[in-house]
Amino acid sequence: MKSGRPKSDIDHAAIIRTIARIPRGCVASYGEIAVRAGLPRRARLVGRVLREADPELELPWQRVLRADGRIAFPPGSRAYREQRRRLIDEGVIVLKGRVNLARFGWQRDLDAELWDFRPRR
DNA sequence: ACATTGACTCGCG
DNA sequence: GCGCGAGCCAATG
């Protein structure tokens, strides 16, 4: 019986599911993903899970940014450029490696009402 | 068992 | 804006 892997597999799955739900054209921080997955203060775990995630899952990893809206990878790196490209391709405005969270942050279901007087597009 | 390392975050100066 | 330290914690060496 190989007791298995630690319960962290459960957390891992919760994180994967949460990331998969980020709407197209929106972004969320590592910390926010953690909270939504029921794992407050586990932002680093989100990053780790993302790094090891199977590409087959085709997770929208480009939508996960740092708490201040910046791309986590070193500016100019391959991953940085790809993330920037993917975001722009789905309509997210990226200025100097940063996204305006007030505008593109994933806050629809948390504050659905604010959606009405939020500038569109 | 101990030390280092991160796709992190926050507060402070 | 920038650097630091602290808190975070699983993976790695």
Side-chain angles (χ1 to χ4, degrees):
Chain A
M1 51 177 281
K2 57 181 358 268
S3 66
R5 318 175 309 167
K7 71 175 175 138
S8 54
D9 267 15
I10 306 296
D11 299 343
H12 189 285
I15 289 170
I16 294 292
R17 281 197 306 276
T18 303
I19 293 172
R21 281 190 11 235
I22 306 174
R24 182 184 176 77
C26 283
V27 298
S29 71
Y30 293 86
E32 183 184 347
I33 296 300
V35 169
R36 285 178 181 266
L39 302 166
R41 294 184 295 292
R42 307 292 298 283
R44 295 197 99 125
L45 179 59
V46 174
R48 203 174 310 123
V49 166
L50 222 33
R51 179 161 53 84
E52 297 160 6
D54 180 355
E56 281 284 304
L57 297 178
E58 295 192 21
L59 289 174
W61 57 272
Q62 70 273 23
R63 300 174 192 156
V64 186
L65 306 171
R66 285 189 177 163
D68 61 1
R70 287 198 302 198
I71 289 175
F73 300 108
S77 65
R78 187 177 195 121
Y80 173 97
R81 293 195 309 272
E82 188 183 347
Q83 184 162 20
R84 178 174 171 288
R85 168 90 264 162
R86 281 170 172 257
L87 286 170
I88 291 173
D89 282 348
E90 56 183 61
V92 174
I93 296 175
V94 185
L95 296 178
K96 285 180 281 208
R98 173 184 234 165
V99 172
N100 184 326
L101 297 183
R103 185 166 171 186
F104 297 100
W106 182 19
Q107 345 184 342
R108 298 185 203 177
D109 16 338
L110 290 182
D111 296 290
E113 297 191 59
L114 292 179
W115 183 240
D116 293 322
F117 44 79
R118 217 162 124 207
R120 233 171 308 142
R121 252 306 263 181

